[in-house]
PDB file of all heavy atoms in Angstrom:
ATOM      1  N   ILE N 119      97.248 124.494  96.507  1.00  0.00           N
ATOM      2  CA  ILE N 119      96.648 125.618  95.805  1.00  0.00           C
ATOM      3  C   ILE N 119      95.138 125.338  95.648  1.00  0.00           C
ATOM      4  O   ILE N 119      94.739 124.216  95.667  1.00  0.00           O
ATOM      5  CB  ILE N 119      97.353 125.745  94.403  1.00  0.00           C
ATOM      6  CG1 ILE N 119      97.160 124.481  93.581  1.00  0.00           C
ATOM      7  CG2 ILE N 119      98.710 126.197  94.466  1.00  0.00           C
ATOM      8  CD1 ILE N 119      97.678 124.569  92.149  1.00  0.00           C
ATOM      9  N   ASP N 120      94.399 126.365  95.702  1.00  0.00           N
ATOM     10  CA  ASP N 120      92.939 126.262  95.609  1.00  0.00           C
ATOM     11  C   ASP N 120      92.502 126.707  94.185  1.00  0.00           C
ATOM     12  O   ASP N 120      92.681 127.819  93.821  1.00  0.00           O
ATOM     13  CB  ASP N 120      92.287 127.226  96.671  1.00  0.00           C
ATOM     14  CG  ASP N 120      90.806 127.047  96.734  1.00  0.00           C
ATOM     15  OD1 ASP N 120      90.248 126.218  96.061  1.00  0.00           O
ATOM     16  OD2 ASP N 120      90.143 127.766  97.560  1.00  0.00           O
ATOM     17  N   LEU N 121      91.932 125.684  93.563  1.00  0.00           N
ATOM     18  CA  LEU N 121      91.503 125.936  92.101  1.00  0.00           C
ATOM     19  C   LEU N 121      90.217 126.643  92.008  1.00  0.00           C
ATOM     20  O   LEU N 121      89.803 127.137  90.937  1.00  0.00           O
ATOM     21  CB  LEU N 121      91.495 124.629  91.377  1.00  0.00           C
ATOM     22  CG  LEU N 121      92.780 123.832  91.252  1.00  0.00           C
ATOM     23  CD1 LEU N 121      92.527 122.476  90.532  1.00  0.00           C
ATOM     24  CD2 LEU N 121      93.843 124.653  90.585  1.00  0.00           C
ATOM     25  N   GLU N 122      89.382 126.742  93.032  1.00  0.00           N
ATOM     26  CA  GLU N 122      88.079 127.274  93.012  1.00  0.00           C
ATOM     27  C   GLU N 122      88.018 128.686  92.525  1.00  0.00           C
ATOM     28  O   GLU N 122      87.225 129.055  91.645  1.00  0.00           O
ATOM     29  CB  GLU N 122      87.342 127.195  94.324  1.00  0.00           C
ATOM     30  CG  GLU N 122      85.938 127.526  94.204  1.00  0.00           C
ATOM     31  CD  GLU N 122      85.069 127.126  95.514  1.00  0.00           C
ATOM     32  OE1 GLU N 122      85.616 126.443  96.327  1.00  0.00           O
ATOM     33  OE2 GLU N 122      83.975 127.658  95.624  1.00  0.00           O
ATOM     34  N   PRO N 123      88.911 129.661  92.974  1.00  0.00           N
ATOM     35  CA  PRO N 123      88.784 131.083  92.446  1.00  0.00           C
ATOM     36  C   PRO N 123      89.058 131.094  90.888  1.00  0.00           C
ATOM     37  O   PRO N 123      88.356 131.858  90.242  1.00  0.00           O
ATOM     38  CB  PRO N 123      89.858 131.765  93.223  1.00  0.00           C
ATOM     39  CG  PRO N 123      90.102 131.034  94.491  1.00  0.00           C
ATOM     40  CD  PRO N 123      89.800 129.529  94.087  1.00  0.00           C
ATOM     41  N   ALA N 124      90.057 130.415  90.423  1.00  0.00           N
ATOM     42  CA  ALA N 124      90.353 130.406  89.000  1.00  0.00           C
ATOM     43  C   ALA N 124      89.300 129.787  88.191  1.00  0.00           C
ATOM     44  O   ALA N 124      88.819 130.270  87.157  1.00  0.00           O
ATOM     45  CB  ALA N 124      91.655 129.608  88.811  1.00  0.00           C
ATOM     46  N   LEU N 125      88.697 128.727  88.724  1.00  0.00           N
ATOM     47  CA  LEU N 125      87.594 127.991  88.033  1.00  0.00           C
ATOM     48  C   LEU N 125      86.343 128.924  88.012  1.00  0.00           C
ATOM     49  O   LEU N 125      85.644 129.048  87.016  1.00  0.00           O
ATOM     50  CB  LEU N 125      87.254 126.695  88.708  1.00  0.00           C
ATOM     51  CG  LEU N 125      86.336 125.773  87.971  1.00  0.00           C
ATOM     52  CD1 LEU N 125      86.805 125.370  86.592  1.00  0.00           C
ATOM     53  CD2 LEU N 125      86.176 124.492  88.830  1.00  0.00           C
ATOM     54  N   ARG N 126      86.035 129.508  89.119  1.00  0.00           N
ATOM     55  CA  ARG N 126      84.908 130.465  89.220  1.00  0.00           C
ATOM     56  C   ARG N 126      85.064 131.622  88.228  1.00  0.00           C
ATOM     57  O   ARG N 126      84.117 131.898  87.512  1.00  0.00           O
ATOM     58  CB  ARG N 126      84.683 130.928  90.593  1.00  0.00           C
ATOM     59  CG  ARG N 126      83.448 131.875  90.743  1.00  0.00           C
ATOM     60  CD  ARG N 126      83.295 132.437  92.119  1.00  0.00           C
ATOM     61  NE  ARG N 126      83.240 131.421  93.122  1.00  0.00           N
ATOM     62  CZ  ARG N 126      84.154 131.198  94.015  1.00  0.00           C
ATOM     63  NH1 ARG N 126      85.282 131.917  94.086  1.00  0.00           N
ATOM     64  NH2 ARG N 126      84.003 130.237  94.992  1.00  0.00           N
ATOM     65  N   ASP N 127      86.222 132.211  88.216  1.00  0.00           N
ATOM     66  CA  ASP N 127      86.445 133.303  87.267  1.00  0.00           C
ATOM     67  C   ASP N 127      86.232 132.939  85.847  1.00  0.00           C
ATOM     68  O   ASP N 127      85.609 133.636  85.056  1.00  0.00           O
ATOM     69  CB  ASP N 127      87.849 133.951  87.501  1.00  0.00           C
ATOM     70  CG  ASP N 127      87.933 134.708  88.838  1.00  0.00           C
ATOM     71  OD1 ASP N 127      86.918 134.881  89.522  1.00  0.00           O
ATOM     72  OD2 ASP N 127      89.115 134.996  89.201  1.00  0.00           O
ATOM     73  N   ALA N 128      86.862 131.788  85.468  1.00  0.00           N
ATOM     74  CA  ALA N 128      86.775 131.316  84.075  1.00  0.00           C
ATOM     75  C   ALA N 128      85.337 130.959  83.743  1.00  0.00           C
ATOM     76  O   ALA N 128      84.909 131.249  82.608  1.00  0.00           O
ATOM     77  CB  ALA N 128      87.649 130.090  83.889  1.00  0.00           C
ATOM     78  N   LEU N 129      84.568 130.371  84.576  1.00  0.00           N
ATOM     79  CA  LEU N 129      83.250 130.019  84.358  1.00  0.00           C
ATOM     80  C   LEU N 129      82.309 131.238  84.160  1.00  0.00           C
ATOM     81  O   LEU N 129      81.562 131.390  83.189  1.00  0.00           O
ATOM     82  CB  LEU N 129      82.585 129.181  85.439  1.00  0.00           C
ATOM     83  CG  LEU N 129      81.132 128.793  85.312  1.00  0.00           C
ATOM     84  CD1 LEU N 129      80.931 127.824  84.056  1.00  0.00           C
ATOM     85  CD2 LEU N 129      80.688 128.056  86.583  1.00  0.00           C
ATOM     86  N   ILE N 130      82.469 132.182  85.066  1.00  0.00           N
ATOM     87  CA  ILE N 130      81.682 133.485  84.955  1.00  0.00           C
ATOM     88  C   ILE N 130      81.910 134.246  83.788  1.00  0.00           C
ATOM     89  O   ILE N 130      81.042 134.730  83.074  1.00  0.00           O
ATOM     90  CB  ILE N 130      81.844 134.336  86.306  1.00  0.00           C
ATOM     91  CG1 ILE N 130      81.251 133.588  87.456  1.00  0.00           C
ATOM     92  CG2 ILE N 130      81.305 135.704  86.140  1.00  0.00           C
ATOM     93  CD1 ILE N 130      81.514 134.229  88.758  1.00  0.00           C
ATOM     94  N   LEU N 131      83.198 134.283  83.299  1.00  0.00           N
ATOM     95  CA  LEU N 131      83.570 134.987  82.079  1.00  0.00           C
ATOM     96  C   LEU N 131      82.935 134.299  80.843  1.00  0.00           C
ATOM     97  O   LEU N 131      82.652 134.928  79.829  1.00  0.00           O
ATOM     98  CB  LEU N 131      85.019 135.039  81.904  1.00  0.00           C
ATOM     99  CG  LEU N 131      85.732 136.104  82.890  1.00  0.00           C
ATOM    100  CD1 LEU N 131      87.193 136.047  82.710  1.00  0.00           C
ATOM    101  CD2 LEU N 131      85.179 137.555  82.586  1.00  0.00           C
ATOM    102  N   GLY N 132      82.742 133.010  80.906  1.00  0.00           N
ATOM    103  CA  GLY N 132      82.140 132.221  79.795  1.00  0.00           C
ATOM    104  C   GLY N 132      80.606 132.203  79.748  1.00  0.00           C
ATOM    105  O   GLY N 132      80.046 131.675  78.863  1.00  0.00           O
ATOM    106  N   LEU N 133      79.950 132.602  80.854  1.00  0.00           N
ATOM    107  CA  LEU N 133      78.515 132.576  80.892  1.00  0.00           C
ATOM    108  C   LEU N 133      77.940 133.863  80.453  1.00  0.00           C
ATOM    109  O   LEU N 133      78.501 134.951  80.546  1.00  0.00           O
ATOM    110  CB  LEU N 133      78.094 132.327  82.318  1.00  0.00           C
ATOM    111  CG  LEU N 133      78.388 130.978  82.930  1.00  0.00           C
ATOM    112  CD1 LEU N 133      78.121 130.890  84.471  1.00  0.00           C
ATOM    113  CD2 LEU N 133      77.734 129.845  82.218  1.00  0.00           C
ATOM    114  N   PRO N 134      76.690 133.820  79.807  1.00  0.00           N
ATOM    115  CA  PRO N 134      76.029 135.012  79.395  1.00  0.00           C
ATOM    116  C   PRO N 134      75.502 135.852  80.566  1.00  0.00           C
ATOM    117  O   PRO N 134      75.159 135.280  81.588  1.00  0.00           O
ATOM    118  CB  PRO N 134      74.884 134.487  78.552  1.00  0.00           C
ATOM    119  CG  PRO N 134      74.552 133.107  79.096  1.00  0.00           C
ATOM    120  CD  PRO N 134      75.870 132.594  79.576  1.00  0.00           C
ATOM    121  N   MET N 135      75.642 137.167  80.463  1.00  0.00           N
ATOM    122  CA  MET N 135      75.142 138.096  81.519  1.00  0.00           C
ATOM    123  C   MET N 135      73.645 138.038  81.637  1.00  0.00           C
ATOM    124  O   MET N 135      73.104 138.157  82.710  1.00  0.00           O
ATOM    125  CB  MET N 135      75.587 139.518  81.185  1.00  0.00           C
ATOM    126  CG  MET N 135      77.086 139.693  81.349  1.00  0.00           C
ATOM    127  SD  MET N 135      77.718 139.485  82.994  1.00  0.00           S
ATOM    128  CE  MET N 135      77.068 140.839  83.798  1.00  0.00           C
ATOM    129  N   ARG N 136      72.948 137.815  80.463  1.00  0.00           N
ATOM    130  CA  ARG N 136      71.542 137.761  80.404  1.00  0.00           C
ATOM    131  C   ARG N 136      71.178 136.495  79.620  1.00  0.00           C
ATOM    132  O   ARG N 136      70.921 136.515  78.441  1.00  0.00           O
ATOM    133  CB  ARG N 136      70.981 138.949  79.699  1.00  0.00           C
ATOM    134  CG  ARG N 136      71.205 140.258  80.400  1.00  0.00           C
ATOM    135  CD  ARG N 136      70.741 141.515  79.631  1.00  0.00           C
ATOM    136  NE  ARG N 136      69.437 141.391  79.125  1.00  0.00           N
ATOM    137  CZ  ARG N 136      68.256 141.604  79.800  1.00  0.00           C
ATOM    138  NH1 ARG N 136      68.266 141.956  80.968  1.00  0.00           N
ATOM    139  NH2 ARG N 136      67.169 141.491  79.122  1.00  0.00           N
ATOM    140  N   PRO N 137      71.134 135.332  80.320  1.00  0.00           N
ATOM    141  CA  PRO N 137      70.835 134.041  79.628  1.00  0.00           C
ATOM    142  C   PRO N 137      69.401 134.034  79.014  1.00  0.00           C
ATOM    143  O   PRO N 137      68.449 134.506  79.680  1.00  0.00           O
ATOM    144  CB  PRO N 137      71.003 132.970  80.736  1.00  0.00           C
ATOM    145  CG  PRO N 137      70.943 133.701  82.042  1.00  0.00           C
ATOM    146  CD  PRO N 137      71.329 135.220  81.762  1.00  0.00           C
ATOM    147  N   LEU N 138      69.413 133.442  77.840  1.00  0.00           N
ATOM    148  CA  LEU N 138      68.076 133.331  77.184  1.00  0.00           C
ATOM    149  C   LEU N 138      67.856 131.765  76.790  1.00  0.00           C
ATOM    150  O   LEU N 138      68.816 131.138  76.518  1.00  0.00           O
ATOM    151  CB  LEU N 138      68.054 134.102  75.861  1.00  0.00           C
ATOM    152  CG  LEU N 138      68.204 135.609  76.030  1.00  0.00           C
ATOM    153  CD1 LEU N 138      68.272 136.275  74.638  1.00  0.00           C
ATOM    154  CD2 LEU N 138      67.014 136.209  76.812  1.00  0.00           C
ATOM    155  N   CYS N 139      66.628 131.359  76.864  1.00  0.00           N
ATOM    156  CA  CYS N 139      66.295 129.986  76.515  1.00  0.00           C
ATOM    157  C   CYS N 139      66.543 129.753  75.040  1.00  0.00           C
ATOM    158  O   CYS N 139      66.858 128.691  74.559  1.00  0.00           O
ATOM    159  CB  CYS N 139      64.902 129.589  76.895  1.00  0.00           C
ATOM    160  SG  CYS N 139      63.546 130.571  76.229  1.00  0.00           S
ATOM    161  N   ARG N 140      66.302 130.847  74.268  1.00  0.00           N
ATOM    162  CA  ARG N 140      66.554 130.851  72.805  1.00  0.00           C
ATOM    163  C   ARG N 140      66.623 132.351  72.462  1.00  0.00           C
ATOM    164  O   ARG N 140      65.973 133.202  73.071  1.00  0.00           O
ATOM    165  CB  ARG N 140      65.659 130.080  72.026  1.00  0.00           C
ATOM    166  CG  ARG N 140      64.216 130.375  72.149  1.00  0.00           C
ATOM    167  CD  ARG N 140      63.361 129.497  71.181  1.00  0.00           C
ATOM    168  NE  ARG N 140      62.291 130.230  70.737  1.00  0.00           N
ATOM    169  CZ  ARG N 140      61.097 130.415  71.479  1.00  0.00           C
ATOM    170  NH1 ARG N 140      60.916 129.877  72.706  1.00  0.00           N
ATOM    171  NH2 ARG N 140      60.183 131.186  70.924  1.00  0.00           N
ATOM    172  N   PRO N 141      67.352 132.642  71.350  1.00  0.00           N
ATOM    173  CA  PRO N 141      67.546 134.067  71.017  1.00  0.00           C
ATOM    174  C   PRO N 141      66.285 134.847  70.758  1.00  0.00           C
ATOM    175  O   PRO N 141      66.128 136.092  71.008  1.00  0.00           O
ATOM    176  CB  PRO N 141      68.380 134.029  69.744  1.00  0.00           C
ATOM    177  CG  PRO N 141      69.059 132.664  69.744  1.00  0.00           C
ATOM    178  CD  PRO N 141      68.093 131.756  70.517  1.00  0.00           C
ATOM    179  N   ASP N 142      65.250 134.196  70.154  1.00  0.00           N
ATOM    180  CA  ASP N 142      63.980 134.865  69.878  1.00  0.00           C
ATOM    181  C   ASP N 142      62.807 134.763  70.895  1.00  0.00           C
ATOM    182  O   ASP N 142      61.679 134.823  70.614  1.00  0.00           O
ATOM    183  CB  ASP N 142      63.446 134.442  68.459  1.00  0.00           C
ATOM    184  CG  ASP N 142      63.117 132.963  68.444  1.00  0.00           C
ATOM    185  OD1 ASP N 142      63.643 132.193  69.297  1.00  0.00           O
ATOM    186  OD2 ASP N 142      62.365 132.557  67.526  1.00  0.00           O
ATOM    187  N   CYS N 143      63.261 134.495  72.189  1.00  0.00           N
ATOM    188  CA  CYS N 143      62.274 134.289  73.271  1.00  0.00           C
ATOM    189  C   CYS N 143      61.397 135.515  73.351  1.00  0.00           C
ATOM    190  O   CYS N 143      61.970 136.656  73.487  1.00  0.00           O
ATOM    191  CB  CYS N 143      63.035 133.982  74.577  1.00  0.00           C
ATOM    192  SG  CYS N 143      61.921 133.847  75.970  1.00  0.00           S
ATOM    193  N   ALA N 144      60.106 135.329  73.360  1.00  0.00           N
ATOM    194  CA  ALA N 144      59.147 136.438  73.416  1.00  0.00           C
ATOM    195  C   ALA N 144      58.901 137.036  74.835  1.00  0.00           C
ATOM    196  O   ALA N 144      58.508 138.120  75.050  1.00  0.00           O
ATOM    197  CB  ALA N 144      57.795 136.043  72.842  1.00  0.00           C
ATOM    198  N   GLY N 145      59.313 136.218  75.840  1.00  0.00           N
ATOM    199  CA  GLY N 145      59.125 136.699  77.281  1.00  0.00           C
ATOM    200  C   GLY N 145      57.787 136.426  77.831  1.00  0.00           C
ATOM    201  O   GLY N 145      57.115 135.481  77.411  1.00  0.00           O
ATOM    202  N   LEU N 146      57.377 137.231  78.761  1.00  0.00           N
ATOM    203  CA  LEU N 146      56.043 137.117  79.541  1.00  0.00           C
ATOM    204  C   LEU N 146      55.114 138.187  79.170  1.00  0.00           C
ATOM    205  O   LEU N 146      55.566 139.303  78.829  1.00  0.00           O
ATOM    206  CB  LEU N 146      56.332 137.093  80.996  1.00  0.00           C
ATOM    207  CG  LEU N 146      57.262 136.155  81.647  1.00  0.00           C
ATOM    208  CD1 LEU N 146      57.496 136.462  83.056  1.00  0.00           C
ATOM    209  CD2 LEU N 146      56.759 134.703  81.414  1.00  0.00           C
TER     210      LEU N 146
END
Side-chain angles (χ1 to χ4, degrees):
I119 56 175
D120 187 0
L121 299 178
E122 190 171 343
L125 189 58
R126 181 182 304 110
D127 291 349
L129 177 66
I130 289 173
L131 288 174
L133 293 174
M135 294 293 290
R136 298 178 43 87
L138 298 173
C139 59
R140 56 178 215 278
D142 62 339
C143 177
L146 301 174

